[in-house]
């Protein structure tokens, strides 16, 4: 099963996407996570990408496509995969289609602007394993410390309110075309991502995936 999770930053597609991935035993592949790893490892791709990412701008298509192509070749993608954060532009959709990568369903997470800004500005990420927490809804057991690996939690640079607003603007400009494209193809399924509990959104997603 090859899926795409679509939705603005903060709609919960990463968190809920992970629950879907675990349910089906397939990996969730986040281009944001892959790029952050490259940046942390200071690879040549990572150094190029970081400048764009810290401003909330998109990293050039060739860089992202290269990363995705390499990742999808790995053994764990044979049963299927979930793409999170890719494609984001109609050019990236075309690149995926040209590469003959089949997509079965696109799950579109919808949440209001207020919910997103509030959710992102209260989000904390683990500096080591990438686990995501929310101070209000999904707090860590010990403040500032990851439940899973004990490392320090931090607020991502691009989750500060000014950058969130820029990311939402960029998302709105670029991604509405994608929604239209996949809706026309008949493979888009909408999910209400406003509830604060990821489990609730997961249940809605499973409902649309069963149909
Ligand atoms: P995310 O964690 O998905 O919000 O991604 C964080 C940042 O990584 C974005 O703001 C972009 O700078 C970059 N990025 C992730 N995915 C893509 C993509 N498909 N195309 C271009 N840039 C991307």
């Amino acid at each position: 099963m090859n899926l795409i999770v679509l939705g603005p930053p903060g709609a919960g597609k990463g968190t809920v996407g992970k629950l879907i991935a675990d349910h089906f035993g397939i990996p969730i592949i986040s281009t944001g996570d892959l790029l952050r790893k490259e940046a942390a490892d200071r690879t040549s791709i990572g150094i190029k990408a970081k400048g764009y990412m810290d401003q909330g701008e998109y990293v050039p298509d060739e860089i992202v496509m290269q990363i995705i192509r390499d990742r999808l070749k790995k053994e764990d993608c044979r049963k299927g995969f979930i793409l999170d954060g890719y494609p984001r532009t109609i050019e990236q959709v075309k690149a995926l289609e040209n590469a003959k990568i089949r997509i079965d369903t696109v799950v579109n997470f919808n949440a209001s602007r207020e919910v997103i800004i509030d959710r992102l500005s209260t989000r904390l990420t683990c500096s080591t394993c990438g686990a995501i927490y929310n101070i209000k809804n999904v707090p860590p057991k010990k403040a500032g410390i990851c439940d899973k690996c004990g490392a320090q939690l931090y607020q991502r640079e691009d989750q500060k309110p000014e950058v969130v607003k820029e990311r939402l603007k960029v998302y709105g400009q670029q991604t509405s075309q994608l929604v239209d494209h996949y809706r026309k193809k008949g493979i888009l399924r909408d999910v209400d991502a406003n509830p604060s509990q990821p489990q609730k959104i997961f249940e809605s997603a499973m409902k649309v995936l069963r149909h």
Side-chain angles (χ1 to χ4, degrees):
M1 177 187 271
N2 302 347
L3 304 178
I4 290 174
V5 285
L6 210 62
K13 61 184 162 45
T15 308
V16 178
K18 174 87 176 78
L19 297 175
I20 301 172
D22 290 349
H23 179 89
F24 290 113
I26 55 179
I28 178 157
I29 298 168
S30 151
T31 41
D33 285 350
L34 293 176
L35 288 164
R36 276 186 289 279
K37 168 111 185 29
E38 296 282 334
D41 293 347
R42 301 193 61 75
T43 64
S44 60
I45 282 185
I47 292 166
K48 271 191 227 150
K50 192 175 180 337
Y52 296 96
M53 295 168 77
D54 284 347
Q55 301 298 316
E57 288 168 14
Y58 283 172
V59 173
D61 281 356
E62 321 78 71
I63 297 182
V64 189
M65 189 59 197
Q66 184 60 48
I67 284 186
I68 267 298
R69 219 193 282 269
D70 291 347
R71 181 62 186 86
L72 290 180
K73 278 190 199 135
K74 295 204 172 149
E75 181 65 24
D76 63 344
C77 295
R78 278 184 44 189
K79 252 175 65 186
F81 54 80
I82 301 179
L83 291 181
D84 169 13
Y86 190 91
R88 284 192 192 189
T89 61
I90 203 74
E91 289 75 23
Q92 293 182 355
V93 170
K94 297 274 150 64
L96 211 51
E97 291 176 352
N98 289 340
K100 303 253 180 303
I101 296 165
R102 191 194 79 242
I103 299 298
D104 302 307
T105 306
V106 178
V107 185
N108 187 33
F109 292 83
N110 298 291
S112 75
R113 191 179 158 83
E114 293 70 37
V115 165
I116 287 167
I117 292 173
D118 182 62
R119 209 177 265 168
L120 283 185
S121 55
T122 52
R123 182 181 278 187
L124 291 174
T125 304
C126 175
S127 53
T128 303
C129 74
I132 294 169
Y133 298 85
N134 184 285
I135 301 165
K136 288 191 203 159
N137 305 315
V138 192
K141 291 197 183 86
K142 206 171 152 202
I145 301 293
C146 179
D147 292 352
K148 293 184 184 134
C149 73
Q152 203 77 28
L153 304 178
Y154 75 110
Q155 186 180 37
R156 270 169 43 190
E157 198 53 43
D158 63 359
Q159 286 169 356
K160 311 227 155 116
E162 345 42 281
V163 187
V164 169
K165 284 181 191 150
E166 175 62 22
R167 287 167 71 201
L168 285 178
K169 199 171 100 193
V170 173
Y171 180 84
Q173 284 162 353
Q174 309 259 17
T175 317
S176 55
Q177 279 180 296
L178 258 74
V179 172
D180 293 347
H181 178 87
Y182 287 124
R183 209 184 286 287
K184 268 190 210 135
K185 281 189 105 176
I187 60 170
L188 190 98
R189 303 285 175 269
D190 284 299
V191 168
D192 175 13
N194 285 301
S196 56
Q197 290 304 324
Q199 187 62 29
K200 255 214 156 124
I201 308 174
F202 169 65
E203 282 160 18
S204 306
M206 289 307 294
K207 224 179 254 171
V208 301
L209 284 172
R210 280 192 208 103
H211 282 106

